[in-house]
Amino acid sequence: MFKINDNYLKLPGSYLFSTIGKKVNAFQAANPDKKVIRLGIGDVTQPLAPAIIEALHSAVDEMADAATFKGYAPDLGYEFLRNAIARNDYKDRGCDISADEIFVSDGAKCDSGNIQEIFSVDNKIAVCDPVYPVYVDTNVMAGRTGTYDASTGMWSDVIYMPCTVDNNFAPDFPKETPDLIYLCFPNNPTGATITKDQLQDWVDYANKVGAVIIYDAAYEAYISEDNVPHSVYECEGARTCAIELKSFSKNAGFTGTRLGYTVIPKDLKAGDVMLHSLWARRHGTKYNGAPYIVQKAGEAVYSPAGKQQLSEQVAYYMNNAKIIKTGLQEAGYTVSGGVNAPYIWLKTPDRMTSWEFFDYLLEHANVVGTPGSGFGPSGEGYFRLTAFGSCENTVEALERIRKM
């Protein structure tokens, strides 16, 4: 008789955004005349930039010609894209990362979930609280998190690093020593950032205790303030302790096109074993590469026209963030985020739980957000709104909220 991976049975409920989708669909079915504005999931709404569309069309034409047709992609990704990434995202920022340390994939979500496979199941993970659910859930699936306490919303073998208003939503070093440290800055869901000096402290800490930092930099394109690092490799010593995950979804609108990459420096080792080699083996065995046409579109992100057009898209979303943050503050809400990230983190009013506020907002304003408790225990009493909607819908949503 076959057996299942019963770690899946330990997962409480469904994935956060699946739960939200079911609740919103039920509301719309019961209220077909209501226009629901979605500011919950972090999905972009602006079309792909012209430079990217042009590259896609050109690549499609290549696939129609036997002389330029492409089959399977190279394991790490095409050199033209990896070279562009290495030059623009790293060398131009003074980071010592080479093209052969970059692994192209179909998105940071997959990589953030899959990266744990190259580590032993008895490694102890540390996560910010609140946290992007994928980090924790995929470790649950692997059997690394122990038992779940429904009363606290915490796993017995996970080190939680509370990110609250008292520490400006940035974690303090944990009392218990972790093996794997998940960090995401600019942060999802709180929109918080840390300075380069603060990140350097984390790099020094990881090297001291022998931990690996898994650094999610999916939102670095939204950084507007000085001294906020765009990459962990801006810090001295990061090559020996850090893996970086990057996405084309938020900076270039590839949520439906799918493209991302992971950086694993060759200096990052467990004894004499390079983690780069382990991930290369996993990548080559389980993955056949992002499509050629998508990788060509990714290369266009770094063209002069692409950079200009995407800068305008980022500015569009950050204007939405300003509208949301200013509008909520004027309505009396306690708000953070929305400066270096497209997320606004607000305290729920009248001591409502985050799910109570979700229902209240949906019922009275027909606006969808994300309950903070879905990101972890420290998210209770908070709520996330995204700036990825259209400007028109964002303005209308804020008008509705202010009238509640």
Side-chain angles (χ1 to χ4, degrees):
M1 180 67 179
F2 69 87
K3 297 180 180 179
I4 62 169
N5 177 356
D6 59 9
N7 290 311
Y8 278 73
L9 303 180
K10 299 176 183 178
L11 289 163
S14 60
Y15 182 56
L16 171 62
F17 295 105
S18 298
T19 302
I20 290 172
K22 291 175 183 176
K23 290 176 75 75
V24 174
N25 289 340
F27 177 84
Q28 288 192 304
N31 301 274
D33 58 321
K34 300 292 177 84
K35 175 190 174 184
V36 173
I37 297 178
R38 298 173 184 260
L39 300 181
I41 191 169
D43 192 4
V44 297
T45 54
Q46 293 297 293
L48 294 172
I52 295 170
I53 292 295
E54 182 179 348
L56 280 170
H57 281 300
S58 176
V60 168
D61 289 339
E62 289 184 60
M63 298 297 277
D65 187 333
T68 53
F69 173 81
K70 300 292 191 298
Y72 291 125
D75 282 355
L76 272 66
Y78 285 99
E79 284 193 22
F80 61 77
L81 178 57
R82 290 187 287 112
N83 286 334
I85 292 169
R87 181 175 63 255
N88 289 275
D89 288 349
Y90 294 103
K91 295 189 184 305
D92 287 355
R93 291 179 177 146
C95 302
D96 181 20
I97 295 296
S98 60
D100 64 356
E101 294 173 316
I102 296 166
F103 297 80
V104 176
S105 72
D106 59 355
K109 178 179 181 179
C110 295
D111 287 351
S112 66
N114 293 330
I115 194 67
Q116 52 80 26
E117 290 187 22
I118 66 174
F119 297 99
S120 170
V121 73
D122 59 1
N123 279 302
K124 202 70 172 279
I125 70 167
V127 297
C128 295
D129 174 29
V131 66
Y132 181 46
V134 171
Y135 308 154
V136 175
D137 287 1
T138 52
N139 278 283
V140 174
M141 294 170 181
R144 195 176 283 115
T145 57
T147 57
Y148 182 70
D149 185 339
S151 65
T152 63
M154 302 173 77
W155 295 89
S156 61
D157 292 344
V158 173
I159 300 170
Y160 291 86
M161 302 182 293
C163 298
T164 67
V165 67
D166 294 330
N167 58 10
N168 293 317
F169 301 104
D172 300 316
F173 296 134
K175 295 179 181 179
E176 184 180 358
T177 302
D179 300 300
L180 307 177
I181 304 167
Y182 287 82
L183 296 177
C184 174
F185 290 102
N187 185 257
N188 175 19
T190 66
T193 57
I194 55 176
T195 65
K196 184 177 178 179
D197 289 341
Q198 287 175 299
L199 185 54
Q200 182 67 61
D201 289 342
W202 275 102
V203 168
D204 293 343
Y205 170 81
N207 277 317
K208 178 181 177 181
V209 303
V212 173
I213 295 172
I214 299 173
Y215 194 76
D216 187 343
Y219 300 94
E220 64 81 19
Y222 292 85
I223 294 171
S224 63
E225 295 182 323
D226 295 333
N227 201 31
V228 176
H230 290 257
S231 168
V232 69
Y233 302 115
E234 294 178 32
C235 298
E236 184 178 353
R239 285 185 55 86
T240 58
C241 72
I243 293 171
E244 185 159 279
L245 313 173
K246 292 289 287 293
S247 169
F248 285 73
S249 290
K250 315 302 181 180
N251 68 322
F254 279 52
T255 54
T257 317
R258 308 310 304 146
L259 189 65
Y261 64 86
T262 290
V263 178
I264 304 186
K266 295 180 180 179
D267 296 342
L268 180 51
K269 299 179 181 180
D272 294 328
V273 179
M274 291 193 305
L275 269 61
H276 181 280
S277 298
L278 299 183
W279 188 243
R281 186 69 172 88
R282 191 264 175 207
H283 210 62
T285 300
K286 290 191 172 185
Y287 185 63
N288 265 339
Y292 171 73
I293 61 174
V294 176
Q295 293 196 46
K296 286 297 288 185
E299 182 186 30
V301 167
Y302 300 102
S303 68
K307 289 180 179 179
Q308 175 61 36
Q309 291 161 11
L310 294 180
S311 176
E312 293 170 1
Q313 284 197 357
V314 167
Y316 177 93
Y317 291 128
M318 290 310 293
N319 182 62
N320 287 349
K322 182 178 180 181
I323 290 170
I324 296 171
K325 185 171 186 177
T326 301
L328 289 174
Q329 287 174 330
E330 291 175 350
Y333 289 86
T334 300
V335 187
S336 60
V339 176
N340 296 292
Y343 294 124
I344 291 81
W345 190 241
L346 63 117
K347 189 171 180 58
T348 58
D350 303 324
R351 297 187 178 182
M352 287 185 185
T353 68
S354 54
W355 277 108
E356 285 173 347
F357 187 65
F358 174 91
D359 292 333
Y360 184 82
L361 194 64
L362 182 59
E363 176 68 30
H364 294 277
N366 308 149
V367 172
V368 179
T370 308
S373 62
F375 298 103
S378 292
E380 183 54 89
Y382 286 88
F383 202 76
R384 192 193 76 175
L385 294 175
T386 83
F388 286 124
S390 68
C391 183
E392 295 77 12
N393 280 346
T394 299
V395 170
E396 183 178 346
L398 263 293
E399 290 176 353
R400 294 182 190 179
I401 293 172
R402 294 176 68 168
K403 291 177 180 177
M404 288 196 311

